[in-house]
Amino acid sequence: MQYSPKADRPAKTPPEQWFTGDVSLTPLIAAPAPARLNAVSVTFSPGARTNWHTHPLGQTLYITDGEGRAQKDGGPVIALQPGDVIFFAPGERHLHGAAPDSAMTHIAMQEADETGAHIHWEETRVSDAEYAG
């Protein structure tokens, strides 16, 4: 058993090159092998969002607070509410973040592949116009 008190997992500001706007990331779990689960709680300020990115084994988001947006490459912008769950398939290029006028928090869950990678970030930022859909 591993016990991880909240005080041992303070919120962090993720690297600016992966996000637009103010974002806070709180680690939840990076499970030891042979488990592969990685989970974080991410809070986006209004209008904040990820760059385009993929996950080698997919990603599940569980929206816990506020209103958000998500989009797979080439698809429509989807509005997200607390309690919503969204799954992105392995390798599916996508983005997610807060609605323009609301902060949003989600729990992001993804598994690491055999190399230990659980995310592949692109340098491509998402413009305001693209994010509005």
Side-chain angles (χ1 to χ4, degrees):
M1 179 173 92
Q2 287 186 347
Y3 169 65
S4 181
K6 182 179 179 178
D8 291 350
R9 297 176 287 102
K12 304 174 184 177
T13 301
E16 289 181 17
Q17 70 263 28
W18 298 337
F19 295 89
T20 296
D22 294 326
V23 177
S24 175
L25 186 146
T26 302
L28 298 178
I29 186 169
R36 297 177 171 200
L37 180 64
N38 178 285
V40 294
S41 176
V42 186
T43 299
F44 297 83
S45 64
R49 56 198 172 264
T50 66
N51 284 9
W52 289 104
H53 63 286
T54 62
H55 299 272
L57 297 177
Q59 180 185 49
T60 300
L61 302 180
Y62 173 70
I63 313 309
T64 60
D65 191 48
E67 296 181 17
R69 303 285 184 267
Q71 182 182 22
K72 71 176 187 174
D73 191 13
V77 174
I78 298 171
L80 303 171
Q81 303 291 323
D84 289 352
V85 174
I86 188 166
F87 175 74
F88 298 102
E92 184 172 57
R93 187 175 187 247
H94 68 279
L95 61 90
H96 41 92
D101 56 354
S102 173
M104 187 268 292
T105 300
H106 65 50
I107 295 174
M109 299 163 275
Q110 50 277 319
E111 291 183 286
D113 66 12
E114 61 281 348
T115 70
H118 58 83
I119 188 167
H120 298 290
W121 288 104
E122 294 184 16
E123 293 182 18
T124 309
R125 291 201 180 270
V126 179
S127 71
D128 291 342
E130 287 176 304
Y131 198 57

